Amino acid sequence: MTGIRLTAPAPGWSIDADVVVVGSGVAGLTTALRCAAAGLATVVVTKARLDDGSTRWAQGGVAAALGEGDTPEQHLDDTLVAGAGLCDEAAVRTLVTEGPDAVRRLIGTGAQFDTADDGTIALGREGGHHRRRIAHAGGDATGAEISRALVEAVREAALHTVENALVLDLLTDAEGRTAGVTLHVMGEGQHDGVGAVNAPTVILATGGMGQVFSATTNPPVATGDGVALALRAGAEVSDLEFVQFHPTVLFLGAGAEGQQPLVSEAVRGEGAHLVDAHGTRFMLGQHELAELAPRDIVAKAITRQMQLHGTEHMYLDARHFGAEMWEQHFPTILAACRTHGIDPVTTPIPIAPAAHHASGGIRTDLRGRTTVPGLYACGEVACTGVHGANRLASNSLLEGLVFAERIAADIVADRPRSGTATVAGHPAPSPLLPPEARSTIQRIMTRGAGVVRSADSLARAAEELEDLHRSAFLKAGAAEPKDAVPGVEAWEVTNLLLVSRVLVAAARQREETRGCHWREDRPERDDENWRRHLVVKLTPDRQLVLRRTDTEAFGPVRPSGAPDCAATGTTHPTPEEP
């Protein structure tokens, strides 16, 4: 354990439980429902409302071998290819073999997927898939439907939920085992201010960290809180350099920031073309699947075309769909485009890549266990080894389903003790950044660690991030400290800084191009030296320690303090506390 905590008031209230689930997307709610059904006292904590996470925004669907002639083995092959040599095959095999039944159980929970004329699930196709295996709901509103069904099930089960609550830090007992979380409730419901949920088991399902970049498809709540909490708690994170940039995000102008409208890959799956300003298709000849190549290949191709033509976007042309197809299959995208003055029925859609999905995260085993006893992670916040260097389209919702069920089964088998644990140690408060530093971090990351990276750009980003980190310590140690006031915005930006530093440190060390990590100064994939995973920990003296695994195997996930098989280790020092 690091003993590092965010600077925050002491908890003024508490709840006792067997299990606390942080996050209300497909991963969090599925885990919570399974635990509660087994009789465990379960509390769900979520940063906004129950239906405000990334799941709700998913336009793509759920990938599973549900169609005639399709098999888990074929799904596995497509996933391994997309992952560019870094997928953990055991994790992928778990995903694809358990996935179909997990989808059927989701349907049993109440989710309604689009069906064909014969009543079977209508299956679409997306990038990297050689078969139609994507189940959608409401055309392009799959995430909203899944969220609706799970939220209704949670409310019917009368689970204890705490909404509008930002999780702060992990509580641990004298033996270093999980004892719950601290959280801040933003003036809603029966709780207010900083409190605690005392529980021997914590599941982090907090979603992604897209808000480290200026433009992202992620909602505003995706500030990397789960990864930052896990790092402060001493957990290992892995593969954080692999951030997938979705190729087709509606271009709203060079200065656009925050959450941007996504144009689902399913549009290309139905035959839309990527073209330049002259209407010329540029994916032909670049990959056997053309516009349906894996996302990293398509994002790179779009970026190259933008550089070649000196423009800030390319186009997605689906005018040949006609109005009826747009209205029936892609109503959400159609509405978003028209809101911004673009009618895709008559005009090509301006698009550009934007940060979309973190393939890396908190390292877990096949039961969702992290290196901190009692702490689990699931969904985008976790790194199970499924995605490798690049997530295959529509595997993320499936990953949340499958591994949520595995986590619940592990917890139920272990039957954690309920009640309040004694919290050990004297936490070292982490100086907070002022809220205005958020845009500064986003600009640094977009400029230095975006779609295209280099040794120079990453070095500049690392230096600028360390300047922000150092400044927070200097202000905290001044004769008249001018610390940022503890609060949601300051906590979020402090989390953003920590995950940004880890991402940049890993990207600097990985001197190759692989999957969605594109080093323009190292354009080739280097399997001999870099078909390896990078694992990062935060030490009690706030240093980032990186190690590289011996082989491409994901490797065992052992409790903190257990010996491992690290081949190399690199320490990235941070400023000493004044």
Side-chain angles (χ1 to χ4, degrees):
M1 307 303 295
T2 67
I4 301 171
R5 299 284 189 270
L6 288 173
T7 299
W13 52 269
S14 66
I15 302 169
D16 290 344
D18 297 323
V19 176
V20 56
V21 178
V22 186
S24 60
V26 63
L29 295 188
T30 300
T31 310
L33 286 166
R34 297 291 185 275
C35 288
L40 295 172
T42 304
V43 173
V44 176
V45 173
T46 187
K47 194 172 180 181
R49 298 189 306 274
L50 279 179
D51 61 354
D52 265 350
S54 292
T55 293
R56 169 190 169 194
W57 298 97
Q59 293 176 352
V62 182
L66 297 165
E68 184 176 353
D70 197 5
T71 64
E73 200 69 26
Q74 294 176 67
H75 189 183
L76 179 141
D77 289 342
D78 285 346
T79 301
L80 294 180
V81 169
L86 278 185
C87 294
D88 179 69
E89 187 167 338
V92 178
R93 194 170 295 281
T94 298
L95 178 83
V96 300
T97 55
E98 298 182 11
D101 283 343
V103 172
R104 296 184 184 102
R105 284 188 288 273
L106 178 63
I107 293 170
T109 303
Q112 299 178 8
F113 288 93
D114 298 340
T115 56
D117 293 339
D118 61 0
T120 60
I121 296 176
L123 299 173
R125 189 175 167 200
E126 294 181 5
H129 294 271
H130 282 79
R131 283 189 173 272
R132 285 184 170 267
R133 65 168 65 97
I134 318 299
H136 290 90
D140 58 2
T142 309
E145 170 59 17
I146 291 174
S147 181
R148 179 203 63 77
L150 291 173
V151 168
E152 284 190 8
V154 164
R155 287 175 174 154
E156 287 175 8
L159 263 67
H160 189 156
T161 61
V162 183
E163 296 181 284
N164 300 295
L166 171 65
V167 67
L168 299 176
D169 281 302
L170 190 72
L171 295 173
T172 53
D173 63 18
E175 285 73 45
R177 182 182 172 83
T178 295
V181 292
T182 55
L183 63 156
H184 174 82
V185 179
M186 294 168 257
E188 300 285 345
Q190 66 187 73
H191 303 293
D192 192 10
V194 175
V197 179
N198 300 308
T201 301
V202 173
I203 300 105
L204 295 178
T206 52
M209 56 182 191
Q211 291 291 326
V212 301
F213 296 97
S214 296
T216 177
T217 63
N218 289 190
V221 294
T223 51
D225 306 317
V227 171
L229 176 152
L231 282 163
R232 288 192 297 270
E236 292 182 344
V237 303
S238 186
D239 300 347
L240 220 62
E241 68 272 31
F242 297 118
V243 175
Q244 187 176 81
F245 284 74
H246 197 289
T248 53
V249 175
L250 184 62
F251 180 74
L252 301 180
E257 296 183 347
Q259 186 178 10
Q260 311 290 299
L262 177 66
V263 181
S264 171
E265 199 158 285
V267 178
R268 281 176 280 138
E270 295 301 325
H273 302 146
L274 286 165
V275 299
D276 60 22
H278 304 292
T280 303
R281 291 178 67 183
F282 53 83
M283 285 304 300
L284 296 175
Q286 297 211 28
H287 191 275
E288 60 167 334
L289 296 176
E291 279 89 355
L292 286 179
R295 286 180 178 172
D296 62 312
I297 293 172
V298 179
K300 290 171 186 174
I302 291 171
T303 303
R304 288 192 187 101
Q305 289 295 314
M306 288 160 53
Q307 293 171 337
L308 179 65
H309 292 276
T311 60
E312 295 173 321
H313 62 84
M314 287 287 112
Y315 295 92
L316 185 66
D317 192 352
R319 290 175 291 178
H320 53 287
F321 284 8
E324 184 177 353
M325 182 172 176
W326 269 109
E327 290 164 359
Q328 291 184 357
H329 289 270
F330 305 109
T332 307
I333 300 170
L334 179 65
C337 288
R338 286 177 170 170
T339 296
H340 294 283
I342 300 155
D343 188 349
V345 177
T346 59
T347 308
I349 305 169
I351 52 88
H356 182 56
H357 187 90
S359 293
I362 307 165
R363 280 186 90 231
T364 73
D365 64 12
L366 295 185
R367 288 183 278 177
R369 297 178 297 187
T370 73
T371 54
V372 175
L375 178 66
Y376 294 77
C378 191
E380 190 174 352
V381 72
C383 184
T384 61
V386 159
H387 303 309
N390 179 57
R391 176 181 67 107
L392 179 66
S394 288
N395 267 356
S396 51
L397 291 173
L398 189 72
E399 182 193 33
L401 278 174
V402 168
F403 286 90
E405 293 186 341
R406 293 179 72 84
I407 287 172
D410 192 66
I411 294 169
V412 170
D414 189 44
R415 304 300 296 191
R417 297 173 292 102
S418 62
T420 305
T422 301
V423 179
H426 300 282
S430 184
L432 302 177
L433 271 70
E436 55 267 25
R438 181 174 182 142
S439 60
T440 302
I441 293 170
Q442 291 171 333
R443 286 193 293 270
I444 291 170
M445 293 297 291
T446 299
R447 185 171 58 245
V451 180
V452 184
R453 303 164 179 177
S454 69
D456 289 343
S457 75
L458 290 166
R460 285 194 299 272
E463 182 178 356
E464 290 171 337
L465 292 173
E466 288 306 321
D467 283 346
L468 288 174
H469 183 67
R470 186 179 298 107
S471 175
F473 277 104
L474 292 175
K475 288 179 180 178
E480 295 182 8
K482 296 181 179 179
D483 292 354
V485 177
V488 173
E489 292 181 334
W491 290 320
E492 283 184 334
V493 73
T494 302
N495 287 338
L496 284 173
L497 178 61
L498 178 54
V499 296
S500 295
R501 290 172 55 227
V502 174
L503 191 161
V504 169
R508 292 182 74 185
Q509 185 155 332
R510 183 171 291 280
E511 296 181 332
E512 64 158 356
T513 289
R514 180 184 298 272
C516 51
H517 171 67
W518 183 7
R519 285 279 298 262
E520 61 179 350
D521 57 326
R522 301 281 183 169
E524 302 301 323
R525 175 169 150 175
D526 180 2
D527 279 351
E528 182 178 354
N529 294 303
W530 283 108
R531 195 177 175 192
R532 308 283 189 274
H533 298 273
L534 285 173
V535 181
V536 185
K537 282 190 68 173
L538 182 67
T539 67
D541 57 355
R542 304 176 194 272
Q543 295 186 20
L544 298 177
V545 177
L546 282 72
R547 67 175 176 87
R548 181 168 49 173
T549 57
D550 289 325
T551 69
E552 71 275 9
F554 195 61
V557 178
R558 295 186 175 92
S560 297
D564 58 45
C565 56
T568 62
T570 304
T571 299
H572 286 245
T574 61
E576 293 293 328
E577 288 186 63

